[in-house]
Each structure stands twice: as C-alpha cells, then as structure tokens.
Amino acid sequence: GAVVSQHPSRVICKSGTSVKIECRSLDFQATTMFWYRQFPKQSLMLMATSNEGSKATYEQGVEKDKFLINHASLTLSTLTVTSAHPEDSSFYICSARDGRGASKYTDTQYFGPGTRLTVL
Amino acid sequence: KNQVEQSPQSLIILEGKNCTLQCNYTVSPFSNLRWYKQDTGRGPVSLTIMTFSENTKSNGRYTATLDADTKQSSLHITASQLSDSASYICVVSGLPFSGGYNKLIFGAGTRLAVHP
C-alpha cells in the first residue's frame, strides 16, 4: 500500500518554542492531507484539512494561529505548533488522501506513523 | 449528531481464540465504514472498507460485516495471535463534501489484548 511518512517521530521541546512536523506522501500525490491529534487512550480528533495550494480548513475549537498548516506541494504538508505549551503535548498524526480510484462513496486515506510531541 | 460508538471498550482473550468487536453509528447520510488497527504509538492501518451496498469484507483473519439498515458493524478476528494486540477503530464517513473527500468520524476504539 501507499506510504505516508512523518518527521520527526518524536520531539521534546521547551515551553514557548515552535515545533514543525512534516507529513509526506512517498509514492502518490495527495491534494488533500489531514491533521489529527490523539490524547492517551482517546481516539483521533481531526484538527484541520490541508489542501494543496490553498488555506487549510480548521475544525471548530482549533486555533489556526497556533497550529499553522502549510501544504506547499502535492507530497508535503507541514504542521507548526507555535509557542507550544505542556497542554499541546500529544500524538499528532497526518493522513493523505490518495485520489486514484476514488469513487463517489469511497476514497483511500493513508495514515502516517505519528509524531509524539512532549512540551516541558 | 454524527456519532460512532464501539464496544467493548477493552477485551482480553487467549491466543488462538476468536473475538468479535462491535460498532454502532448514527452518521447519516452514510458513505462508507472502515476498520483500522492501531498499534500503540503508531498510526492507524486500514483493515477493511465497506460501502452501504456491501455486507461483508475479509482481510486475512479479519472479517468485517455491515448492516446499513440497523447501522451496525462488527469485526471478527479468527485464531488470534499475540500481534493482534492493538486498538481497533471503527471509522464512518458521510457523503463526500464538496471537496470530494470523505470526512472520517472515529469511534473511540476497542483495546484488544491477546495473552499467551
């Protein structure tokens, strides 16, 4: 199956610093990528939808100025957590939509391996 | 409100045994239902995806069923292995948005532990 990578896999930073997480689709072009956050023992929560060449769409309650998303190419989207605080510590997962073979009712979305962010 | 509920919340079984996980949803209109396996500290991996016209789909020892009338799905794992220990997440999509993609609604997952 298609592969989506994330970098870094784990990051520890001090409170107040900014952290950038990269999401890449390795063998297909992804016009749409999604960013999720997952707290321990909870399910994934969609933060924003990233479309190549346009502004990201954020879910209700997600601060767009704090979580900056850039989808500069068809294979790369980045999430920057600005001025990170301990409450931003979480598991961040991206997914990329593979439009090949998509129908009206289904499409294929591949998830990255996730990035563990710890803010001290 | 579109919701996806899974049961049980957690489950312990012995290696070699079978088990069935349940998923109920209220998403409407319905587009498709997916089951994912998520190992601890990893991203979800797709097991099956079914549209409203499909009743069952298999992937190796995993068999998913779907009843779109009652809005229920199950994931049956046969001859469990230690490597099956993971969270299993039911994910439902409504009809594609104008952007042409499925917005995924996640259940909380069932945490399965397979013991030797």
Side-chain angles (χ1 to χ4, degrees):
Chain A
V3 178
V4 174
S5 69
Q6 280 185 242
H7 178 80
S9 59
R10 187 181 298 268
V11 57
I12 300 173
C13 68
K14 293 182 178 180
S15 185
T17 61
S18 295
V19 175
K20 179 184 284 188
I21 303 171
E22 292 186 349
C23 176
R24 292 182 185 273
S25 58
L26 298 184
D27 55 0
F28 66 98
Q29 293 182 333
T31 55
T32 305
M33 290 184 173
F34 306 87
W35 286 97
Y36 296 87
R37 181 167 51 183
Q38 185 177 32
F39 292 106
K41 296 188 178 181
Q42 295 186 24
S43 195
L44 281 72
M45 295 296 295
L46 180 65
M47 299 175 64
T49 301
S50 168
N51 292 295
E52 187 266 340
S54 63
K55 292 183 178 181
T57 303
Y58 290 82
E59 295 300 300
Q60 189 173 12
V62 178
E63 300 176 55
K64 62 179 181 180
D65 294 330
K66 181 168 183 65
F67 298 99
L68 301 179
I69 292 173
N70 187 325
H71 194 157
S73 77
L74 289 173
T75 60
L76 173 64
S77 177
T78 61
L79 168 68
T80 301
V81 184
T82 63
S83 187
H85 291 285
E87 57 266 29
D88 297 324
S89 298
S90 187
F91 193 52
Y92 292 86
I93 305 174
C94 72
S95 74
R97 177 181 181 272
D98 185 352
R100 296 170 297 180
S103 70
K104 177 181 179 181
Y105 299 107
T106 64
D107 62 8
T108 302
Q109 299 180 19
Y110 297 98
F111 286 86
T115 296
R116 172 74 58 192
L117 170 64
T118 302
V119 185
L120 303 177
Chain B
K1 180 180 179 181
N2 290 330
Q3 286 186 313
V4 178
E5 296 183 353
Q6 292 186 243
S7 62
Q9 188 175 36
S10 62
L11 180 63
I12 299 174
I13 62 174
L14 294 178
E15 186 179 12
K17 298 296 186 181
N18 303 334
C19 68
T20 300
L21 314 180
Q22 301 291 341
C23 174
N24 297 333
Y25 62 92
T26 59
V27 177
S28 181
F30 170 80
S31 176
N32 60 72
L33 184 146
R34 312 165 193 236
W35 282 95
Y36 285 91
K37 177 186 179 185
Q38 184 179 24
D39 293 312
T40 301
R42 305 291 296 174
V45 174
S46 179
L47 296 176
T48 63
I49 179 170
M50 292 178 289
T51 64
F52 59 87
S53 62
E54 296 175 288
N55 300 120
T56 185
K57 184 160 285 188
S58 292
N59 179 359
R61 295 181 295 104
Y62 302 102
T63 299
T65 65
L66 173 64
D67 186 333
D69 292 329
T70 61
K71 294 186 170 59
Q72 296 179 326
S73 175
S74 66
L75 179 69
H76 186 75
I77 304 175
T78 303
S80 62
Q81 300 175 359
L82 298 179
S83 59
D84 291 334
S85 296
S87 286
Y88 291 84
I89 307 172
C90 176
V91 183
V92 180
S93 296
L95 284 175
F97 284 62
S98 59
Y101 57 84
N102 286 157
K103 190 170 184 178
L104 307 183
I105 302 170
F106 288 77
T110 293
R111 298 174 69 86
L112 174 66
V114 180
H115 289 181

